[in-house]
Amino acid sequence: MTQTFDALVVGAGFAGMHTLFRLRQMGMTALVIEKGTDVGGTWYWNRYPGARCDVPSLDYSVPWDPELDQQWYWTEKYSTQPEILTYASHLADRHDFRRDIKFETTVTSAVWDDARQVWTVGTDKGDSFEAKFFISAAGALSEPNLPDIPGIGDFKGELYHTGRWPRDKVELKGKRIAVLGTGSTGVQASTAIAREADHLYVLQRTAQFSLPCLTPPLTEEDHAELRVRYPEHREWQRGSYAATSSNIDTPFGMHAFDDPKEVRFANYEKAWANGTAALVGVYGDVSTNAEVAQEVSDFVRDKIRAKVKDPETAESLCPPPGSYVGTRRIIIDTGYFEIFNQDNVTLVDLRKDPIERITADGVQTKNNTYPLDMLVVATGYDAVTGPLISMNITGKNGVRLADTWADGPHTYLGIMVAGFPNLFTITGPASPGVLANVIFSIDQHVDWCCRAIEHMRAIGATTIDTTPEAEAEWNAHAMDTVKDQLRINDENNWYMGTNVPGKPRSVLVYQGGLGFYRDRCNEIAEDNYRGFVFGYEREKASA
Ligand code: NA7
């Protein structure tokens, strides 16, 4: 039997919970469909050792529950996964969200019926649901990118993708473990696993820049100081570039070469001591001027050489010439390079000694054999579009999302796709999403969608859609925001979709900044929802 709701929401992370909160406030019936057994999204799935957020805890919390801002106590400057998951679970308790969430259920199809103006959504449990609105809150980094390495299915030991880490405790002690991948996840996981494993092999294809994450305990005073001005801080976050205060102390100027060398290097040192992304924002042109980026990147290479005792290992850990700090999502670490000074850690440089195959017992490279008890796959995600495409969504006239996006995604504001009426894509392709503190990207999207629905009610519209022209204009603008950035040429970068073999290069993450984007979305709404098309009940009747 088909159950009917006003809205169906996919995903019970921060985006799904916020959407449910707002829809309830608007008096709408909603069901959230969630693959996991509980809330938390990214923080539910990524429970690998060492998982930690790269946005300060006092910034990375929801702005729609101000009472909780006055009560919640974060223990460290940058929170660990268990603490964020506890916070997410507490939110679900406080607002009794779980009664409207169907857990352990995966959406397998979503089809728009244009005559009846409804979405019909099917699941792996054989459910059939109908709703006027279909809202994806499935996250940007939720569809694992699994490496296509010969023999991977033959491995007889424990095999885990970090984004699907088991809920039960995984024993690391006494084991020979390899971590494949050295992005944010591989760096965090390796740093933690090195403390327990009998031996850790870090399988590195491309060395990456990683910056120190200084994460002192937070104090009562830290909380008290912010609590008196949390409302203003939240407003500041909403209008800022990335909704994070981690690096606001160190913007030293727009152009690095306006300063003499000794001043520049003193500033690099200050930013390095500040930790996290400060070094990338130390001057306004680190991300756009190759000469400046080269200098800052060499500064980091020297820091790596100073930390790692064995010179050959240190050189392998230095990102290759031509790569610049900040072109990929910043990696921050709590002692990653130092683990290579431990006797139980070996760096395997896959550029020098590539993997030939995985065997039943471990990894076979061109020159070596590494017997393993566990292989940890930290190879990232089919980012942003992957989760949407995996839902098998079909819009008007039987057009499949996978087909219309075959040459790359096209959206209007990252939130709607032409021909897919009443489908909202929270943090969708070409919106700021994970460029910013994602809780605030979500906040802006959920607010904008809900206001659009309220507008529809006010004008008596039953559908909202967009046009290919509006999409083309938006995608050109999104490309404009990235065209001057060094990031655009970086290979294997999930921001551009190029980390997944065969995936078209496109702007998955809008680079103009959250505050600018928000103003633009508001201005479009105030201009009678320019670029959107509303449909009405009478059209349904005459269809
Ligand atoms: P990333 O940043 O996409 O990193 C994936 C890593 O896996 C990276 O080092 C890749 O090397 C490596 N990789 C991918 N495929 C392979 C194969 N086939 N063989 C060897 N190595 C491979 O994902 P993360 O999970 O670390 O981080 C994703 C985001 O989560 C992060 O940006 C934060 O926002 C949180 P490559 O560099 O491609 O050579």
Side-chain angles (χ1 to χ4, degrees):
M1 204 187 86
T2 300
Q3 268 182 285
T4 303
F5 298 87
D6 292 328
L8 288 163
V9 180
V10 186
F14 286 119
M17 289 196 282
H18 188 176
T19 307
L20 180 58
F21 178 78
R22 282 295 297 269
L23 294 175
R24 281 181 181 175
Q25 277 185 330
M26 291 161 69
M28 291 171 70
T29 58
L31 179 74
V32 178
I33 304 171
E34 164 60 50
K35 202 181 280 192
T37 59
D38 204 353
V39 299
T42 289
W43 303 104
Y44 169 91
W45 294 105
N46 282 271
R47 49 184 82 215
Y48 60 84
R52 185 188 288 278
C53 188
D54 61 1
V55 175
S57 315
L58 290 165
D59 293 336
Y60 193 82
S61 45
V62 303
W64 46 268
D65 189 342
E67 205 178 87
L68 189 57
D69 280 344
Q70 298 301 320
Q71 299 166 3
W72 193 260
Y73 192 91
W74 296 100
T75 61
E76 276 184 74
K77 182 166 181 189
Y78 294 90
S79 291
T80 59
Q81 173 270 336
E83 198 163 328
I84 301 172
L85 189 59
T86 303
Y87 173 78
S89 179
H90 182 71
L91 271 178
D93 291 342
R94 268 170 80 76
H95 298 282
D96 195 12
F97 285 141
R98 290 185 183 86
R99 73 179 150 87
D100 289 325
I101 304 174
K102 188 169 179 355
F103 290 107
E104 294 183 81
T105 305
T106 301
V107 170
T108 50
S109 66
V111 181
W112 172 252
D113 180 335
D114 208 35
R116 296 174 52 236
Q117 296 186 340
V118 289
W119 282 98
T120 303
V121 172
T123 76
D124 64 339
K125 294 283 159 47
D127 308 296
S128 172
F129 299 115
E130 280 190 355
K132 186 189 281 278
F133 295 100
F134 182 48
I135 303 175
S136 171
L141 297 163
S142 51
E143 192 64 24
N145 172 38
L146 298 169
D148 187 16
I149 299 177
I152 194 155
D154 299 340
F155 184 59
K156 292 279 184 288
E158 297 165 77
L159 176 68
Y160 305 117
H161 188 282
T162 44
R164 291 286 181 272
W165 197 262
R167 296 188 82 198
D168 294 334
K169 180 174 164 50
V170 174
E171 189 52 71
L172 305 171
K173 281 205 168 61
K175 292 186 181 161
R176 298 158 302 173
I177 304 173
V179 173
L180 176 65
T182 52
S184 287
T185 305
V187 163
Q188 289 186 340
S190 296
T191 308
I193 292 171
R195 284 196 285 272
E196 298 199 48
D198 182 56
H199 203 96
L200 170 67
Y201 300 94
V202 178
L203 309 180
Q204 170 192 278
R205 187 166 69 179
T206 311
Q208 294 204 43
F209 296 97
S210 177
L211 307 175
C213 169
L214 311 176
T215 178
L218 290 174
T219 61
E220 280 291 354
E221 292 71 44
D222 294 326
H223 286 80
E225 188 274 318
L226 193 59
R227 279 178 187 153
V228 292
R229 58 180 182 87
Y230 239 135
E232 301 98 272
H233 185 66
R234 295 311 197 188
E235 266 324 292
W236 171 82
Q237 286 185 278
R238 287 186 165 116
S240 67
Y241 184 84
T244 167
S245 50
S246 63
N247 53 356
I248 54 172
D249 296 336
T250 53
F252 292 113
M254 278 316 290
H255 302 291
F257 291 139
D258 287 351
D259 281 342
K261 187 171 177 188
E262 60 279 12
V263 174
R264 291 199 302 276
F265 274 76
N267 288 338
Y268 301 159
E269 288 291 353
K270 272 188 223 161
W272 179 263
N274 183 83
T276 61
L279 192 67
V280 178
V282 62
Y283 287 102
D285 52 2
V286 178
S287 56
T288 52
N289 181 324
E291 254 183 282
V292 177
Q294 176 77 43
E295 184 171 271
V296 177
S297 303
D298 285 341
F299 171 86
V300 180
R301 288 187 180 93
D302 284 342
K303 293 286 184 194
I304 297 171
R305 290 182 186 111
K307 285 181 190 214
V308 180
K309 287 186 191 142
D310 174 53
E312 198 186 329
T313 306
E315 276 323 300
S316 285
L317 285 165
C318 283
S323 51
Y324 304 115
V325 64
T327 56
R328 294 183 178 193
R329 170 80 178 212
I330 311 294
I331 301 176
I332 59 173
D333 72 87
T334 52
Y336 172 65
F337 294 109
E338 290 82 348
I339 67 171
F340 296 97
N341 297 329
Q342 295 177 203
D343 292 338
N344 69 331
V345 179
T346 303
L347 178 71
V348 180
D349 186 340
L350 301 179
R351 301 236 164 178
K352 292 184 186 146
D353 188 15
I355 295 177
E356 293 209 316
R357 62 179 301 109
I358 310 281
T359 65
D361 302 319
V363 172
Q364 174 74 57
T365 61
K366 190 158 171 264
N367 303 322
N368 283 295
T369 301
Y370 298 98
L372 298 175
D373 302 303
M374 188 189 297
L375 176 58
V376 175
V377 178
T379 48
Y381 296 90
D382 180 353
V384 189
T385 52
L388 288 160
I389 287 175
S390 75
M391 282 188 253
N392 202 7
I393 301 173
T394 305
K396 269 176 144 171
N397 306 317
V399 173
R400 296 174 62 239
L401 188 68
D403 293 334
T404 190
W405 281 1
D407 296 328
H410 40 86
T411 67
Y412 186 37
L413 304 179
I415 206 159
M416 286 219 95
V417 187
F420 293 77
N422 293 6
L423 164 67
F424 292 112
T425 55
I426 307 291
T427 65
S431 75
V434 288
L435 171 82
N437 168 352
V438 75
I439 289 187
F440 280 76
S441 298
I442 290 166
D443 174 70
Q444 186 271 338
H445 259 190
V446 171
D447 183 58
W448 197 90
C449 292
C450 290
R451 283 195 288 125
I453 293 173
E454 276 167 353
H455 177 75
M456 289 170 71
R457 287 172 163 180
I459 63 171
T462 46
T463 61
I464 178 170
D465 198 349
T466 185
T467 64
E469 294 73 29
E471 287 184 332
E473 196 184 315
W474 181 252
N475 285 344
H477 168 65
M479 185 51 88
D480 266 354
T481 65
V482 76
K483 73 176 189 323
D484 293 332
Q485 296 202 359
L486 299 165
R487 160 171 291 161
I488 197 166
N489 293 320
D490 189 346
E491 291 305 320
N492 299 357
N493 187 341
W494 65 261
Y495 271 56
M496 302 295 295
T498 46
N499 63 321
V500 176
K503 186 166 172 172
R505 174 183 289 265
S506 60
V507 182
L508 294 179
V509 182
Y510 177 82
Q511 301 290 315
L514 180 62
F516 180 76
Y517 171 83
R518 177 193 185 205
D519 290 346
R520 185 109 185 206
C521 290
N522 288 346
E523 179 261 316
I524 285 169
E526 277 153 28
D527 188 17
N528 214 10
Y529 285 86
R530 189 176 71 244
F532 290 94
V533 181
F534 294 100
Y536 297 87
E537 188 79 21
R538 62 175 177 280
E539 292 171 15
K540 176 177 143 187
S542 63

